[in-house]
Amino acid sequence: MSTDSVKRAEQTPDEPQPYAELGMKQDEYLRVREILGRRPTSSELAIYSVMWSEHCSYKSSKVHLRQFAAKAPASDALLVGMGENAGVVEVGDGWAVTFKIESHNHPSYVEPHQGAATGVGGIVRDIMSMGARPVAVMDTLRFGPADAPDTRRVLPGVVGGIGFYGNCLGLPNIGGEVVFDDCYIGNPLVNALCVGVLRKDQIKLATAPGPGNQVILFGARTGPDGIGGASVLASATFDEESAAKRPSVQVGDPFMEKLLIECCLELFAADVVVGIQDLGAAGVSCATTELAAKGTGGMTVRLDAVPLRDETLRPEEILMSESQERMMAVVTPANVAAFMEICRKWDVPATVIGEVTDVTPEEAARGGRLIMTWHGETIVDLPPRTAADEGPVYDRPFSEPLTQAALNEDAPDRLARPTDLRAALLQLLGAPNIASKEWVTSQYDRYVRGNTVLATPADSGMIRIADVVPGLPGDGPGPDGVTTRGIALATDGNGRYARLDPYAGAQLALAEAYRNVATGGARPLAVTNCLNFGSPEDPEVMWQFAEAVRGLADACKTLGVPVTGGNVSFYNQTGSTAINPTPVVGVLGVIDDVSHRVRPGFTEPGARVVLLGETDAEFGGSEWAHVAHGHLGGLPPAVRLESERLLAEVLVEAAASGLLSGSHDLSDGGLGVALAEACLIGGYGCRVILPGTADAFTELFSESTARALVAVRPGSWDRFAELCAKRGVPACALGETGGESLVVEEVLEIPLTELRTTYEGTLPAIFA
Amino acid sequence: MSSARVGVITFPGSLDDRDAARAVGLAGAVPVPLWHDDHDLKAVDAVVLPGGFSYGDYLRGGAIARFAPVMTELIPAARAGLPVLGICNGFQILCEAHLLPGALPRNGTLHFVCRDQRMRIENNSTAWTSDYAKDQEVVIPIKHGEGRYVADAATLDALERGGLVVARYLGENPNGAMNDIAGISNEAGNIVGLMPHPEHAVEELIGAPGTDGLGFFTSILKKLVNA
């Protein structure tokens, strides 16, 4: 079996190459030939094909995503912005936080358990590679209808996979979403978020400076998992017999990941790492080209030094393997021994596979020089920046869907209103999208690490940044820093709203996550996003994408919260039918003193129940229209960003002043659902009277935004009312907490036991 | 802070080791980190085996950890009376090491379960439970996939007759454990194994509501100080 070396490539310029099978367009292939001045070797073709893929290069989304930086609000908190493994924001007392959300949609459909598990693993390594200790995860999940047969295959697998990996890894799962809709039946969405903490002077970057520095691959051995197209190369070029079926979904080993976390933190503490990068999509190809591109531009790699799980792997396969639990570090020669010693302590295999090199000015001008050898032969000799940074960029055509106008004209006004509001509330409360998700979340450890302040079913998850263990040093990166601060996280998205208006839909996702962070008492600070869409080659999908990005960028500017990073997932469709456009937005907030956090729901009797915000009749894309009529049409609720900002200020200040014993945001299902959930989650009933500014149905089920429900502590009402008045936030006292029922005077009365049976019974009845 | 020193063993894959150390410290004792690969108990006065997935536990919870170098020191010390508390994975390790009888296979539901669980402390005469009232009802989180306590009839009978059931689940049995058993002790009362995680119920703000778990850690401190 011969190796396709650079020398051989020069001698056989006309050898046909399987670029199309690797997903490359002809003009992209010709561009590679132009860069190299010859045909690429099969290994080089492997590198360019994965690095220039949609997933790695963002070639269809880049022209739009630039708005996030261009429109970014001025923020003192932002330490590392978009373009690194994850963004970093400063949260005070010398602490910084890094967080990011990423999709693992397609693997989770093919093999739900491992697909979802490795989604957790991948995002956790992104956070580690910034120099942080990962401290929590969240998952936002979207499936077909709850009672569809395939959902019964996919959901338990996804949930089991997330639990298997996250529980064994030891990170608390503190929130997220579970949503059901017809549009996801052939294409579930599995988006995983991780957050980590670090001292702000301890940030690590993916870079390879310093000629002579050593390149070390550490973690799991490289196997044939997730190789996908590489077998095309191997078989077409070398050996027809070897086209063995490879698993296209990676397999996760959370134990190795746990060791990697502790090992990395010890490496950071010992200050023996110059640059670091995780191995995710495109594995060694991505890590070497990106590290070199951000460093001197020069690197040599002995690919045959990569430790293998399968000794028959060819160089092209090693380059494309997506084996999990691997990292790459750049280390000065003097520190290699110390680096290896720490890896040995944690039983983490580590191997020097290359070296950072100097480049000539001519080489630098071409984009640097990355050379890889395979048993002495040069198989890769390319400018790494051309692979990592200078991929193709497409400004794809977009146009509003032909059906959009008709969809928007089909307003929900024509839908029959219910006559029995009690029955309507129970129907909504038991609907899979609203019903308790405990069947899912009880399979996740929410307590591990002992810093969980709030978790599901709270509107946002909250984590104490630094604990104090009497007699022990801190276990975060860097020196101990005592702080009372905490971080809060919420993720939200509403594909129905975005289908009706992608510009507004993205803004509404941001508004809800922003509000959810504030209901716990935290000040919203920064944003991450996972943009799930259909095919970018469909102009109508591209329009949805362009509108959503524009909407999100504009809203982030208005609310003063910068986007720090995120992920785009295209091609979420079955045949030619795309999913509803689903921008998922994660908001990070900070609370100065975690002891001021506000618990979810009605947690004490005798508190005053107060509705904040204004209610209009807004039912387009609402949960009521969906559940009662299967209807999607009209326009989503109005976006009220200035009201959201003022509402958040009220919630944060009221929390800091200790005025609230409970809170809950209003979203899907409106006030009726919020009241019921507040009773069930907090444990106390309430007796309220509706404001009477609209009909009872509208007041109970409209999904107007910028609203929240709070329980004001006895004796705190005057101060709270003053606080609201100062900012012009409408505050309507509805009644008082207490008792064993939800009572809405003259409208309905439902015992908590009945509410609970309805709310908690749905998912177990389907999945248990 | 007293001078009572309580070791917390970290195996590769231990997850709640820092949480256990925090609980030890909050109770007023000195937490001492112990390492799986050391033949050294650092002269501690008691030991906690924390929760987690030691060595990944891909085979069976605790099956590999019982052979760790530190366990070759711990097993004889425990038999000689050193107080040992095994929490979750620690309980599994104690069973695998035959320091406690029975076994902890997969939950009856076949699902991992994390929830705040009501239970009753039935034996308050062990080294780790003396600060509780007899039959005190408490809420302490559970979080495990393999926690269904099983034992043969004779063993169960001996546990019940001997009053060696330390904690029993109240309400719905979360994992199918025989006799609703959440935790047991040896006859001497120095070794206790628990599926619940008392270290996640030691601060009002964090974890489960309340501080019902703190008693396990204050109990051992009092015993050591008064010894």
Side-chain angles (χ1 to χ4, degrees), chain B residues 76-162:
Chain B
R79 290 213 168 101
L82 181 75
V84 178
L85 174 66
I87 302 170
C88 195
N89 191 219
F91 188 9
Q92 294 164 344
I93 295 169
L94 290 175
C95 290
E96 290 286 335
H98 302 298
L99 288 170
L100 289 174
L104 295 152
R106 281 189 81 181
N107 296 347
T109 59
L110 303 184
H111 290 301
F112 185 97
V113 59
C114 174
R115 74 181 192 209
D116 301 337
Q117 177 70 40
R118 230 159 37 88
M119 61 196 71
R120 188 168 56 224
I121 305 295
E122 295 196 354
N123 179 346
N124 67 342
S125 60
T126 77
W128 300 89
T129 53
S130 58
D131 246 9
Y132 292 96
K134 169 117 177 83
D135 292 336
Q136 185 176 338
E137 289 188 17
V138 296
V139 175
I140 294 179
I142 54 165
K143 38 169 224 177
H144 57 251
E146 299 179 358
R148 177 167 57 96
Y149 185 78
V150 296
D152 59 50
T155 303
L156 275 183
D157 190 51
L159 288 173
E160 296 290 359
R161 282 165 183 270

Side-chain angles (χ1 to χ4, degrees), chain A residues 167-170 253-255 258 439 442-450 452 464 467 469-470 472-475 594, chain B residues 1 12 14-16 18-19 21-22 31 33 35 53 55-56 58 111-114 116 141 143 200 203 205-208:
Chain A
N167 297 340
C168 187
L169 179 60
D253 177 358
F255 172 57
K258 168 68 178 172
W439 187 85
S442 69
Q443 296 184 49
Y444 307 150
D445 183 347
R446 61 181 179 274
Y447 290 130
V448 62
R449 297 196 49 70
T452 304
R464 175 169 66 183
D467 63 351
V469 178
L472 281 191
D475 70 345
V594 283
Chain B
M1 189 179 293
S14 289
L15 302 177
D16 302 306
R18 185 171 177 83
D19 311 56
R22 183 188 301 116
W35 183 240
F53 293 74
Y55 305 94
Y58 292 127
H111 290 301
F112 185 97
V113 59
C114 174
D116 301 337
K143 38 169 224 177
H200 291 316
E203 294 178 87
L205 186 68
I206 301 290

Side-chain angles (χ1 to χ4, degrees), chain A residues 10 42 68 188 229 231 245 272 282 291 310 364 407 424 485 535 539 547 567 646 654 659 722 724 732 763 766:
Chain A
E10 284 166 344
S42 55
F68 289 141
S231 51
K245 286 267 182 231
V272 294
L291 281 170
D310 172 354
L407 184 71
R485 285 173 208 266
S535 166
E547 283 295 287
N567 169 245
L646 295 167
L659 306 182
E722 190 188 331
C724 293
C732 180
L763 293 199
I766 297 171

